[in-house]
Amino acid sequence: MTVYNWFQDPEAMPVAEKGALDASHWDFTERGVILLRGEWEFYQGMLLTPADFSERPEELSRQRKYMAVPGDWKGIMSSGGRDGAGYGTYRLVVKIGKDDVFSLRGKKIRLSNHVYLGGDDSGGSGQPSDQAATYMPSNMPVFATAASKSGYMDILIQVASYNNLRGGLVQPPEFGLTEDVIARRDNSRLVDILLISTMLVFGLYYAGMAKRWRKEPYIMHFSIFCLAIGLFTLIDNEIVLGSFWPDFPFAWLQKLLIMLPFISFLSFSMYAYRYLGIRESRWFRGLRIFGVSYICLQAVLPNSFVSMLFYINIVLQAIIFCVVAGELLLGRRENRKGLIYIVLGGSYFVLAWIIGQIRYQFALDNPFSMLIAPLLLVFSQSFLMSDRFQQAFQKSEGQTKRLMAQNRQKDEFLAKTSRELHTPLNGIIHLSQSLLEDKKNPLLDPHRENIQLLHAVGRRLSTLVDDMMDFNRIKYGETHLKLAPVDVAMMVRFVLNSLAIVPINDRVEIRNELPNMLPFVMADENRLRQILYTLIENGLKYTAEGYVVIRAVAQEDVIVISIEDTGSGMPKAYIDRLFGTKLSQEERELYETDGFGLGVRLVKQLVELHGSELQAISAPGEGTVFSFTLNVAAPEMELQQLYESESAAAEEELFFMPLGKEGLESPFTILIVDDDGASLKMMIDVVQSLGYAHVAMRSSEEAVNWLSGSKRPDLAVIDLLMPVVSGLDLCSAIRGRYSLAELPVLMMTSLGHREDIIAALREGANDIIHKPFEPSVLKARIQSLLAMKKSSEQAVKREMDFLQAQITPHFLYNSMNALVGLSYKDTDKLRETIHHLTTYLRAKFTFVFKKKLIPLEHELELVRAYLEIEQLRFGSRLEVQYELQGHKNVWLPPLSLQPIVENAVRHGIGPKPEGGTIRISSATSDEGVRITVADNGVGIEKDDLERLRAGSLGGVGVASVNYRMKTIFGQPIVMRSELGIGTEMELLIPEGFDAESDAD
């Protein structure tokens, strides 16, 4: 019945006939407005005014035609080749029973109009014109008011339309008493506003939800659907948009009227697919891609083509509807409840779509009853999504409760287990410690090792139990601080040393203005270091030019520590937010993007845990001063007594032990420096278990004074953090006198920060070990560093021995005697021998250690010079033969061939009374170049030959050459010898070692 009433008025309104409408019997007060349907006068191709009808009525009567309203100009008139285009004037005379003030409300007067009511100019919408160039389209509703005269109301409407839509009065104007027409207009606007508000609010709400719930894309599709419906209603019917944006471009208004329904249809289809988790079929994917492309095409096409796409839109929407309906109804879905709601919402949407198309085609108003379908659609889907959110929340809440219950059970189990384990573990640790420290009844070595292992395992388990208990305390808001006397001056120097590894602006100066005599404070050593490091680093980070200064002032029983910089500073509002109890998410994003706020807030919490308060004084462009206080630990004498009374048992072991456990001289002496008595005692036990001597000290100052004497240990084990003079300072002092190989340094630290490790290595530490450590790990580190030191010393000794072995006093003495003898006999031979000796000495002093590889020609030059000198001494007893193939690009280690030749002369030919022959030859093989030195001397016994190959027989000459050949080429010297027959030494130079192998 509602749809019927929408099309037909049961009140049987009067209808116009031949340009006149008799409403004299219509009671406007009781029955309301009438629709001006019927036959209107129409003057084609004429834009007339009331004056024209007064001045030339007979002429116009001949031009008069009659046009049905509602209706357009299809097939009646055309302009520029477009059917239904042109201009003209509508006229209707309404007969009224009594005079009153009446109003006219017109909509869908396509596509520009100008209204004259009762002879008065009432304005219009757009600009009708007799030329397309001056015509301005508009689709805004018009409202005109005038008083009737003599029982008649003359209505004149100019209409023009060219290149947009077919012209005409496609929706009959409303006519009636002014208050009734205003009421109908307001009711129609109210329907539009309700629909617009509902759709836009839901659209924006779900857009915000989609931003947070990124894993649920269906929310965004439903948001687009709601926004598209809301925007379409905003520019349709009453065109509410024109009330606050009257200059909105008509071209885009017309495009959006065509595009938005299609966008809403496509987005609702995507919403149904995404919500139900349907996998897109090939057909739907193709339609979706085509639909998006089609929308983009509509946006760029001229408006003259847009109206042609209206029916294409309807066809595409119908096709998409069929595809989606088939997927929903024919497919088997697990989410049956969601499917029912989607189908129900789709039905509401189709109903609203059909109503919209009918209203658009027949230019009808929206009654209040037509709000039901779109509102039911939105609310049904909102309830559906709310139900899913509720299910997700309930599921999450249930999982949270189960996890919390399991977490409580775990905490209770850990707490009970920790308490139960703590007592027996302490007993194991103390008993094993007593057994290890018992001097009256010392343990046997096998038993000692087992007890040490038991002690280490007990300590490890105890640490694990403590960690579990601390974790439980932290979880419930408790933080454990290990308060102890801390030297602030030493800690500042240590932090500055750590900061030395960070790149610092050259224009920023770090000033340490702490006084010389500063009492110790009670603080957690690690946490105080963290506080100072963060504040100083922030000062350096935010200071482009100037200084960062650290100060401390003693005031009664506290020390005030301040860090001041000349950086960019902070506004007061920032400081208030920074030190507030909580920061909002927006404030975190604004103030903590670079990590500054987070670091300072952490420092603030650490300072508060020490019973103090972090204060900040700052202003933009004037730098920042952070300050806090720490309690003084004790007077200096009491502090010294505190250190001396830590462990009486440990004090008995703090002495220099020059002998090992067996009373023999110890191979190594270890310097141990640590201010903690328990840690010092443990390290002494480890060193004693290795059989090494030790020097144990409690401060870096003692170690510096001891090292300034003539004694030098083989290894230094130093704690990183010590009062007054830190371990870094001690390591730096050691490196001022000894190299890394001369005195290795093993640093111990309980911090483990990357900056501290790098700072220790930069100061010259060889290795770092973290506290607490296992004794076996400490032993391995000590033995490794001592092995490195010993290996380095042996390498230096080997090279020095080799250098000394190259030029023996005996050879020089014989050479000088030969030169003296020649000076009386043969001066030419004397000059030649001096030249050979010069070549020999130059090669010895120049080639050694200068290059890794030298050409074979240089080595042969040295060999020839040596043999010439020896032949002068041996005479005819020494014969030399060369069988060389002229290898010009063969490279070998310096002084590798000459020592072998010298060994053949001295130990092969020399002991043989009749002398002998030395043959030097070279040949190419598949493996490389073989160089052979052979003699027919006395030979070598088999056992001695094996010892010579192993490097344990003879001097350093052949042994050094053999070592370098194995190191560089991986090929030792091939040695062959028989007693009474002779000896042969062969060097293999692999392929690839040529002139480019020069290491110089």
Side-chain angles (χ1 to χ4, degrees):
M1 191 64 181
T2 301
V3 176
Y4 175 80
N5 291 339
W6 195 24
F7 286 98
Q8 299 292 336
D9 189 350
E11 297 291 340
M13 296 179 181
V15 178
E17 294 180 1
K18 295 187 180 301
L21 189 147
D22 185 3
S24 58
H25 301 292
W26 184 268
D27 188 352
F28 286 96
T29 304
E30 295 293 334
R31 304 174 72 175
V33 302
I34 60 174
L35 300 178
L36 302 181
R37 296 191 182 100
E39 294 178 340
W40 286 51
E41 294 180 6
F42 183 69
Y43 300 88
Q44 182 177 345
M46 304 175 69
L47 297 177
L48 303 176
T49 65
D52 293 324
F53 287 94
S54 300
E55 295 173 357
R56 45 195 181 100
E58 295 182 359
E59 178 187 350
L60 293 178
S61 64
R62 291 192 296 270
Q63 302 291 332
R64 181 170 56 211
K65 295 181 181 180
Y66 296 101
M67 183 77 69
V69 176
D72 57 26
W73 298 340
K74 180 180 180 181
I76 298 175
M77 56 191 301
S78 63
S79 175
R82 292 184 61 86
D83 183 28
Y87 62 98
T89 302
Y90 286 87
R91 185 187 183 207
L92 181 67
V93 178
V94 181
K95 183 180 179 181
I96 305 169
K98 60 178 181 178
D99 292 335
D100 205 336
V101 178
F102 291 88
S103 292
L104 176 76
R105 173 173 169 257
K107 297 191 299 182
K108 304 296 186 294
I109 303 176
R110 295 174 179 166
L111 205 54
S112 63
N113 61 82
H114 198 97
V115 178
Y116 295 89
L117 184 63
D120 298 334
D121 188 347
S122 301
S125 174
Q127 180 177 327
S129 176
D130 57 357
Q131 296 180 3
T134 57
Y135 147 83
M136 293 180 58
S138 176
N139 202 31
M140 298 295 294
V142 294
F143 188 88
T145 301
S148 62
K149 300 175 182 178
S150 303
Y152 288 91
M153 181 68 74
D154 189 15
I155 303 172
L156 206 66
I157 304 176
Q158 299 176 356
V159 181
S161 181
Y162 288 97
N163 55 359
N164 301 99
L165 296 173
R166 286 190 290 268
L169 296 180
V170 297
Q171 182 173 350
E174 298 175 357
F175 180 80
L177 297 175
T178 299
E179 57 269 20
D180 293 336
V181 178
I182 292 176
R184 284 179 63 87
R185 183 192 64 181
D186 292 344
N187 288 339
S188 182
R189 285 185 176 181
L190 180 60
V191 173
D192 287 351
I193 290 174
L194 286 175
L195 189 58
I196 292 168
S197 302
T198 302
M199 290 299 178
L200 292 183
V201 167
F202 274 96
L204 294 175
Y205 170 73
Y206 284 113
M209 290 190 62
K211 183 179 179 181
R212 292 181 176 271
W213 293 57
R214 298 182 184 274
K215 295 183 179 180
E216 304 291 348
Y218 67 87
I219 301 177
M220 179 54 70
H221 294 302
F222 191 72
S223 169
I224 296 174
F225 165 76
C226 294
L227 292 174
I229 296 295
L231 292 175
F232 176 78
T233 310
L234 188 66
I235 60 176
D236 188 42
N237 195 33
E238 290 294 335
I239 311 182
V240 179
L241 179 66
S243 300
F244 55 88
W245 194 350
D247 298 329
F248 188 81
F250 174 79
W252 276 105
L253 181 70
Q254 188 179 18
K255 285 185 177 181
L256 290 174
L257 284 170
I258 303 297
M259 295 166 55
L260 287 173
F262 187 79
I263 293 174
S264 64
F265 210 97
L266 187 61
S267 59
F268 186 83
S269 302
M270 292 296 300
Y271 157 71
Y273 267 78
R274 294 292 185 265
Y275 184 88
L276 296 175
I278 303 174
R279 185 177 180 180
E280 291 184 358
S281 65
R282 181 179 59 184
W283 289 101
F284 183 77
R285 187 182 301 110
L287 284 173
R288 174 171 57 81
I289 296 173
F290 178 78
V292 174
S293 304
Y294 180 66
I295 292 171
C296 297
L297 179 64
Q298 288 179 333
V300 299
L301 280 177
N303 280 47
S304 57
F305 295 95
V306 170
S307 58
M308 303 177 185
L309 303 177
F310 177 77
Y311 296 103
I312 300 178
N313 282 8
I314 296 177
V315 174
L316 285 176
Q317 293 169 18
I319 293 174
I320 294 175
F321 169 76
C322 294
V323 174
V324 175
E327 286 283 350
L328 295 180
L329 299 179
L330 299 180
R332 301 179 63 183
R333 306 283 170 244
E334 296 181 0
N335 188 359
R336 299 186 62 85
K337 182 177 181 181
L339 177 62
I340 294 173
Y341 270 91
I342 293 291
V343 172
L344 184 61
S347 302
Y348 292 142
F349 178 51
V350 172
L351 178 60
W353 177 74
I354 294 174
I355 293 173
Q357 298 299 331
I358 294 174
R359 184 191 56 74
Y360 186 82
Q361 287 297 311
F362 294 96
L364 301 175
D365 277 333
N366 275 340
F368 276 98
S369 57
M370 294 304 130
L371 283 174
I372 296 176
L375 292 181
L376 285 176
L377 166 62
V378 173
F379 283 110
S380 65
Q381 303 312 302
S382 299
F383 293 148
L384 177 61
M385 286 186 279
S386 299
D387 183 66
R388 172 170 283 194
F389 294 152
Q390 183 181 9
Q391 292 177 1
F393 175 76
Q394 290 175 348
K395 182 179 180 180
S396 176
E397 189 178 35
Q399 292 177 345
T400 301
K401 290 180 179 179
R402 288 193 296 271
L403 290 175
M404 291 179 65
Q406 295 174 359
N407 194 42
R408 283 194 297 269
Q409 294 176 359
K410 183 254 305 178
D411 291 341
E412 292 175 0
F413 173 76
L414 288 177
K416 292 179 180 178
T417 304
S418 299
R419 285 193 294 268
E420 294 296 329
L421 289 175
H422 201 268
T423 301
L425 281 175
N426 282 338
I428 293 173
I429 294 171
H430 293 156
L431 289 175
S432 59
Q433 185 73 30
S434 300
L435 291 174
L436 292 172
E437 295 178 354
D438 191 353
K439 302 298 182 181
K440 295 182 179 179
N441 301 302
L443 296 171
L444 299 176
D445 288 345
H447 295 166
R448 174 173 287 277
E449 292 177 359
N450 292 335
I451 296 298
Q452 285 177 340
L453 178 61
L454 176 65
H455 181 74
V457 171
R459 290 181 64 87
R460 185 174 182 181
L461 288 176
S462 179
T463 302
L464 179 61
V465 169
D466 291 338
D467 290 343
M468 289 191 296
M469 296 178 69
D470 289 340
F471 176 79
N472 212 29
R473 296 190 192 101
I474 293 173
K475 185 174 183 180
Y476 292 100
E478 300 178 4
T479 303
H480 181 63
L481 292 181
K482 297 180 180 179
L483 298 178
V486 178
D487 185 358
V488 177
M490 182 278 300
M491 185 61 68
V492 170
R493 290 197 304 273
F494 178 79
V495 169
L496 295 182
N497 286 333
S498 300
L499 282 169
I501 66 171
V502 180
I504 298 176
N505 189 350
D506 295 337
R507 295 177 296 174
V508 180
E509 179 186 1
I510 303 178
R511 300 177 185 174
N512 183 359
E513 297 185 359
L514 268 63
N516 294 330
M517 300 299 295
L518 198 65
F520 285 33
V521 297
M522 290 299 296
D524 186 303
E525 195 174 62
N526 294 338
R527 298 303 186 183
L528 179 57
R529 174 219 171 268
Q530 188 175 1
I531 292 170
L532 294 172
Y533 188 94
T534 301
L535 293 179
I536 297 174
E537 185 184 37
N538 279 328
L540 293 171
K541 184 177 181 181
Y542 293 96
T543 303
E545 184 175 2
Y547 59 83
V548 177
V549 59
I550 304 97
R551 299 186 179 95
V553 179
Q555 296 180 356
E556 297 181 357
D557 57 347
V558 298
I559 292 179
V560 182
I561 303 173
S562 63
I563 292 89
E564 177 183 356
D565 64 70
T566 57
S568 57
M570 298 179 293
K572 186 177 184 304
Y574 182 19
I575 297 176
D576 294 339
R577 290 187 178 94
L578 193 63
F579 287 179
T581 55
K582 291 184 179 180
L583 284 178
S584 65
Q585 181 65 28
E586 292 78 9
E587 289 171 334
R588 287 193 184 96
E589 294 176 356
L590 179 63
Y591 294 104
E592 297 182 3
T593 54
D594 56 0
F596 175 76
L598 182 62
V600 175
R601 285 179 63 82
L602 178 60
V603 168
K604 178 177 179 293
Q605 295 176 359
L606 294 176
V607 170
E608 290 174 352
L609 287 175
H610 284 82
S612 181
E613 181 180 357
L614 182 66
Q615 297 180 345
I617 302 174
S618 183
E622 298 182 5
T624 306
V625 179
F626 287 103
S627 61
F628 60 94
T629 62
L630 292 175
N631 294 327
V632 174
E636 294 183 1
M637 294 302 296
E638 296 177 4
L639 185 62
Q640 183 65 25
Q641 293 175 1
L642 175 65
Y643 270 81
E644 292 177 352
S645 61
E646 281 186 352
S647 177
E651 288 291 319
E652 297 177 359
E653 300 293 336
L654 304 183
F655 61 93
F656 176 68
M657 185 182 69
L659 298 179
K661 292 195 300 185
E662 289 80 14
L664 302 176
E665 185 176 354
S666 173
F668 299 108
T669 300
I670 313 297
L671 172 65
I672 308 172
V673 187
D674 196 334
D675 62 319
D676 182 69
S679 179
L680 191 64
K681 176 62 172 63
M682 177 181 174
M683 286 185 289
I684 291 175
D685 292 340
V686 170
V687 172
Q688 287 179 339
S689 66
L690 292 172
Y692 302 151
H694 72 272
V695 178
M697 297 182 179
R698 298 291 294 274
S699 71
S700 297
E701 292 176 305
E702 295 181 61
V704 171
N705 294 332
W706 185 78
L707 288 170
S708 62
S710 58
K711 298 179 180 179
R712 185 185 78 183
D714 297 289
L715 173 67
V717 183
I718 305 171
D719 185 31
L720 188 66
L721 285 178
M722 286 184 289
V724 184
V725 179
S726 69
L728 289 179
D729 298 330
L730 176 56
C731 184
S732 178
I734 291 174
R735 286 295 162 255
R737 298 187 59 183
Y738 305 107
S739 67
L740 290 168
E742 289 176 327
L743 179 52
V745 174
L746 174 61
M747 196 74 75
M748 299 179 297
T749 176
S750 59
L751 301 180
H753 299 291
R754 180 179 62 88
E755 296 83 2
D756 303 329
I757 296 174
I758 297 176
L761 294 175
R762 289 180 73 255
E763 291 296 333
N766 296 72
D767 196 1
I768 296 176
I769 187 170
H770 295 280
K771 293 181 177 180
F773 46 77
E774 294 293 328
S776 58
V777 176
L778 181 60
K779 289 180 182 179
R781 298 288 182 89
I782 291 175
Q783 290 174 329
S784 175
L785 290 175
L786 291 175
M788 180 273 295
K789 172 183 169 62
K790 184 177 180 180
S791 175
S792 175
E793 291 176 346
Q794 289 176 346
V796 173
K797 184 177 183 300
R798 184 187 304 112
E799 296 299 334
M800 292 302 297
D801 290 344
F802 176 69
L803 179 61
Q804 294 174 1
Q806 299 311 305
I807 306 175
T808 61
H810 180 72
F811 173 77
L812 289 178
Y813 176 75
N814 291 335
S815 300
M816 293 301 174
N817 284 338
L819 292 176
V820 171
L822 288 174
S823 64
Y824 294 105
K825 299 178 181 179
D826 189 347
T827 56
D828 293 335
K829 187 67 173 177
L830 173 65
R831 284 193 294 270
E832 183 182 352
T833 304
I834 292 176
H835 173 72
H836 291 317
L837 182 61
T838 303
T839 301
Y840 174 82
L841 294 176
R842 183 179 68 248
K844 289 287 187 177
F845 289 116
T846 303
F847 294 156
V848 175
F849 307 128
K850 183 178 180 181
K851 295 183 178 181
K852 186 177 181 181
L853 298 176
I854 62 171
L856 176 60
E857 289 82 359
H858 291 185
E859 186 72 11
L860 288 174
E861 182 182 5
L862 172 62
V863 169
R864 289 190 178 96
Y866 168 75
L867 290 175
E868 289 289 343
I869 296 173
E870 290 289 22
Q871 280 183 316
L872 183 64
R873 181 166 66 94
F874 279 87
S876 60
R877 293 179 56 239
L878 176 60
E879 181 182 355
V880 180
Q881 298 177 0
Y882 295 96
E883 299 177 2
L884 304 173
Q885 297 182 4
H887 301 288
K888 296 182 179 180
N889 293 323
V890 177
W891 293 64
L892 72 168
L895 296 180
S896 57
L897 189 59
Q898 187 272 332
I900 296 177
V901 173
E902 183 176 349
N903 187 74
V905 173
R906 294 177 57 188
H907 302 288
I909 304 301
K912 193 174 182 181
E914 67 275 18
T917 302
I918 292 179
R919 178 173 52 85
I920 303 173
S921 63
S922 64
T924 303
S925 66
D926 294 338
E927 298 177 348
V929 178
R930 297 184 181 276
I931 303 174
T932 305
V933 177
D935 67 77
N936 57 357
V938 296
I940 307 173
E941 294 184 0
K942 185 176 181 180
D943 293 341
D944 293 339
L945 184 63
E946 293 297 328
R947 292 168 59 194
L948 183 62
R949 289 171 178 161
S952 59
L953 177 68
V956 297
V958 176
S960 177
V961 173
N962 195 30
Y963 172 78
R964 286 186 292 155
M965 290 294 294
K966 289 190 292 184
T967 303
I968 298 175
F969 299 127
Q971 300 286 344
I973 300 174
V974 178
M975 305 179 186
R976 295 182 286 268
S977 182
E978 292 186 21
L979 286 176
I981 296 177
T983 304
E984 184 177 290
M985 301 279 185
E986 182 180 282
L987 282 69
L988 175 62
I989 311 298
E991 293 182 351
F993 286 86
D994 52 16
E996 295 182 357
S997 299
D998 189 7
D1000 193 9

